[in-house]
Amino acid sequence: MTKPLLTRRAAGLAAAAVLAPLAGARANNLDKARRAGELLIATELHFAPFDFTEGGRQVGMNSELFAVVGQVLGFRIRFQDLPWPGVLPGLEAGRFDLVAGPATITRARMERYRFTAPIANATVALLKRSNDSTIGKPEDINGKTVASAQATAQLAQLQAYIARMNFNTQVREYQSFSEAYADLAAGRVVAVANSLPNLAYVAQQRRGAFSVVSPPFGASLYFGYLGRKDAETAPLIDAIDGVIDTMRSDGRLAALQTKWFGQSFEVPARVVEANA
């Protein structure tokens, strides 16, 4: 009678010992990435200059910044390219542990997700064709057709601005900003709403064709990377924050901004309360 009881108890303890590391793996995505030697991150490769393709390979600020993160934290980075409307649902479903869009830090998103330290300015502005004299300031979109990308904070700010100003403006939503820029060049829309760093890059690349409308119309916002707001993800984002903090302090973050945006931006160490 005693021996089977001890055997069952020993078996139970052995099973618990086996399951404990697995539970720890589930509870800490930083440790899981280190054990696997890899961190899977979702992004959208149509969001220059943060992430895009050139000559068939991924380039942009994200890949360079995360190369540093991976080197410091001890794992390689594997990016998964997805259309932006599917990125946040995929994060919530647990298909990957981090989103490197990056995403605009907003109040609504902060309630639902955990953001890293900000890495760039995200204030929303308008891009127009340089030869379009009908658009000289943001108010000039009244009565015209403008564009932005689906399920983005930039689209939400554009819609809020139009409603606040009581404009008669039609908004076209595109799956990616690349498609919106193509329709801007073709004259199907008069402007594209996106964050200032993205527009500055596009205007620089298409010098003479596109120009940024001043001033920006959106609230002062910032970009960050984001993960799930849970105990499993917290150590991973804490560790990434440490790398970004060091890069901000030693000037490497500003150098990346200058390389990809043509200018650097002052960004806070953390966003405690978003402006939109």
Side-chain angles (χ1 to χ4, degrees), residues 158-229:
L158 174 64
Q159 292 169 329
Y161 173 68
I162 291 169
R164 185 171 69 250
M165 301 296 288
N166 197 28
F167 285 165
N168 178 28
T169 301
Q170 181 182 352
V171 178
R172 290 186 183 173
E173 301 179 24
Y174 293 82
Q175 189 171 42
S176 73
F177 280 104
S178 297
E179 295 170 325
Y181 298 143
D183 268 12
L184 176 63
R188 299 186 184 95
V189 297
V190 299
V192 175
N194 198 354
S195 296
L196 193 57
N198 305 82
L199 299 185
Y201 174 81
V202 174
Q204 185 180 47
Q205 295 298 301
R206 301 284 297 274
R207 195 178 304 278
F210 293 150
S211 56
V212 179
V213 179
S214 295
F217 68 84
S220 295
L221 294 170
Y222 300 95
F223 278 121
Y225 306 118
L226 59 86
R228 290 179 294 278
K229 198 174 186 178

Side-chain angles (χ1 to χ4, degrees), residues 243-265:
V243 178
I244 295 173
D245 288 344
T246 300
M247 295 179 70
R248 185 178 58 254
S249 298
D250 65 20
R252 282 180 293 170
L253 182 61
L256 278 180
Q257 292 171 346
T258 300
K259 175 180 178 178
W260 291 107
F261 310 141
Q263 58 184 300
S264 62
F265 301 98

Side-chain angles (χ1 to χ4, degrees), residues 114-126:
R114 164 79 187 274
F115 278 91
T116 67
I119 51 94
N121 187 299
T123 303
V124 181
L126 295 167

